[in-house]
Amino acid sequence: NHQEHGEKNMTQNRRDFLKTAALGGLVAGTGSFASGVAEGAIKGKKAPHDMQSDGTYSTVELAKPNVTLGVVQTPVRALRVTQWKKDLKANLDEMLSAIDKAFHFGVGPDILFFHEFPITGWDTWTRKEIVKFALEIPGPESEQVAAKAKQHNCMIVFGSYVNDPDWPNHILSVTTMIGPDGEIVDKHWKARNIKGVFPGFELFTTTIYDVLDEYVEMYGEDAILPVTRTAFGNIATSSIQREPELFRAMAMKGAEIFLRTATGGFTPLDMQATSLYNGVYTAICNNAVSPDNPNFFDDAGSGGTAVYGPRGEVVAEADTKFETLVRARIPIASFRQRNRQPIVHMELYREVFDQYDNPYGPNLFSGYLPSDLQDAKQYLADKSKWK
């Protein structure tokens, strides 16, 4: 009908605009402070990903030779559905207060990094419930965070559930980067959710892998593994664990600083190995001990926030499970002078990777969006190709 045809044209026009914007450098993150996903297209490269073939990688001019990274280990508190507006405001106020604390005494960080869900928390909500309170970015909450970034002249990085008008009824897990000028530098979707491992449920947030073809159509192939090239260094973010291939690929694209989030625990060796195997800096931000987090024990999976250096060494780490700031100095200029892409003998095993078949294929949420964790489990029950 005419309505469906009009909606289809609007969607296509929006996607055409986004493609044109990427080619022209109009996407978020292409100002003087940062260069985003369009870098390769701007340079007229034939390859779909922004990569070099001589061991080097794309950068923008650094603002300073040494960058101070501040990793903020704060509580996580799930919003109560019956009073989500009140709880969201309380969580946001606590985050804004933590930002001010990081700058109260002495010189503050250049990058302030929060965990996966400082504003909404996490719980076993339904899709219908999350849609009500997931943030829009930009939106009222991110604008208040942006005001703090501008006030303190720092970059702020944080994760959240997100609603996006281009993806109606999808629940996204997004890490947002806001620059010192208060402008959004980049927004990184979660790349994938692990499937087939949780007893009785599956995650139903939409990741890049879950709508891969649509995602590439809208944002281009380079955005699958985003590396944001900022004046503080080339930054990659992720809330994914135990998939080293992902971080190796990002390092090949020039990621120098990995900002990895967790909520409810992680494996420290996984974080340390990212640095050791790729010769990069890796920060992991986990939640602090969290009193009054509905349905969870106060100490559930808390602590362990740390920063690792290019040899896998501990640069800085939290000595408490309570709220704290972990600070690390990154000599980004001298690091960049000697750093190159990881050395990988791909010819030895490229065919093995090409022949590998994931049990769950991409695009499974392009045709159906599960209503909750149990519905996701039922929907995915017969989707695995493995025995």
Side-chain angles (χ1 to χ4, degrees):
N1 60 39
H2 292 294
Q3 181 179 357
E4 290 177 348
H5 181 71
E7 291 174 351
K8 182 177 181 180
N9 283 342
M10 288 176 63
T11 301
Q12 188 60 49
N13 290 339
R14 180 172 63 243
R15 295 184 177 184
D16 288 343
F17 168 77
L18 287 165
K19 289 180 183 178
T20 303
L23 290 171
L26 301 177
V27 294
T30 56
S32 58
F33 179 76
S35 178
V37 299
E39 181 87 13
I42 293 171
K43 291 186 175 181
K45 294 182 181 180
K46 295 180 181 180
H49 289 273
D50 179 12
M51 288 183 63
Q52 313 289 3
S53 58
D54 60 358
T56 64
Y57 47 86
S58 302
T59 62
V60 298
E61 184 178 355
L62 294 171
K64 52 178 60 179
N66 302 301
V67 171
T68 301
L69 171 63
V71 189
V72 193
Q73 182 173 279
T74 56
V76 58
R77 294 192 180 94
L79 305 182
R80 291 166 289 187
V81 175
T82 56
Q83 55 180 63
W84 67 264
K85 291 183 179 180
K86 177 182 178 181
D87 289 351
L88 188 146
K89 182 180 184 304
N91 284 349
L92 176 61
D93 287 346
E94 185 163 347
M95 180 181 176
L96 298 176
S97 175
I99 296 170
D100 287 336
K101 289 176 184 176
F103 292 88
H104 181 67
F105 184 77
V107 178
D110 299 299
I111 305 171
L112 203 58
F113 173 40
F114 286 82
H115 63 75
E116 195 173 7
F117 298 116
I119 298 177
T120 65
W122 184 91
D123 207 344
T124 57
W125 298 300
T126 66
R127 180 179 302 277
K128 186 176 180 180
E129 289 169 337
I130 300 178
V131 164
K132 292 180 181 179
F133 57 73
L135 308 188
E136 288 195 8
I137 297 181
E141 294 79 20
S142 70
E143 287 175 359
Q144 292 188 58
V145 176
K148 288 295 181 184
K150 192 171 184 179
Q151 174 187 343
H152 297 297
N153 192 34
C154 71
M155 173 187 283
I156 298 177
V157 182
F158 68 99
S160 182
Y161 283 124
V162 168
N163 287 319
D164 189 321
D166 287 334
W167 298 87
N169 207 35
H170 287 267
I171 302 299
L172 310 178
S173 179
V174 173
T175 302
T176 299
M177 305 166 62
I178 299 176
D181 58 359
E183 298 297 321
I184 293 174
V185 174
D186 223 340
K187 296 185 289 184
H188 294 171
W189 283 34
K190 188 175 183 180
R192 60 87 174 140
N193 281 327
I194 193 70
K195 296 178 174 66
V197 300
F198 298 114
F201 71 93
E202 297 280 3
L203 300 177
F204 59 81
T205 47
T206 299
T207 67
I208 294 173
Y209 189 76
D210 295 317
V211 289
L212 183 58
D213 291 347
E214 292 176 84
Y215 184 90
V216 170
E217 179 188 356
M218 185 171 284
Y219 306 119
E221 288 190 38
D222 192 53
I224 298 173
L225 300 170
V227 176
T228 305
R229 305 169 201 281
T230 81
F232 292 154
N234 290 356
I235 298 175
T237 72
S238 181
S239 57
I240 290 173
Q241 301 185 39
R242 302 186 187 185
E243 191 154 342
E245 297 81 5
L246 177 73
F247 306 111
R248 175 59 59 90
M250 288 176 166
M252 288 176 172
K253 293 184 63 175
E256 299 168 317
I257 302 171
F258 284 80
L259 303 180
R260 300 180 61 179
T261 58
T263 304
F266 62 95
T267 303
L269 180 59
D270 180 39
M271 309 299 163
Q272 189 175 14
T274 297
S275 282
L276 177 63
Y277 292 156
N278 299 301
V280 296
Y281 286 89
T282 302
I284 171 63
C285 186
N286 193 29
N287 60 277
V289 170
S290 304
D292 304 319
N293 187 22
N295 304 314
F296 295 94
F297 292 108
D298 292 357
D299 192 28
S302 60
T305 293
V307 180
Y308 299 97
R311 296 183 301 278
E313 75 278 17
V314 176
V315 177
E317 62 182 342
D319 58 2
T320 178
K321 290 187 174 184
F322 290 92
E323 184 178 70
T324 191
L325 174 68
V326 175
R327 296 166 58 98
R329 177 180 176 273
I330 299 177
I332 188 66
S334 60
F335 168 79
R336 177 173 289 180
Q337 286 181 348
R338 65 181 184 274
N339 188 50
R340 295 296 181 269
Q341 296 173 345
I343 297 174
V344 180
H345 299 86
M346 190 64 73
E347 291 78 6
L348 290 174
Y349 33 80
R350 191 189 308 275
E351 290 189 9
V352 172
F353 276 63
D354 288 343
Q355 288 181 231
Y356 173 81
D357 197 7
N358 192 294
Y360 296 89
N363 304 308
L364 288 176
F365 286 178
S366 291
Y368 181 74
L369 294 177
S371 59
D372 55 34
L373 298 170
Q374 289 70 39
D375 186 38
K377 183 71 173 181
Q378 183 176 354
Y379 169 63
L380 295 172
D382 62 352
K383 300 297 187 295
S384 175
K385 293 172 284 187
W386 285 13
K387 294 182 179 180

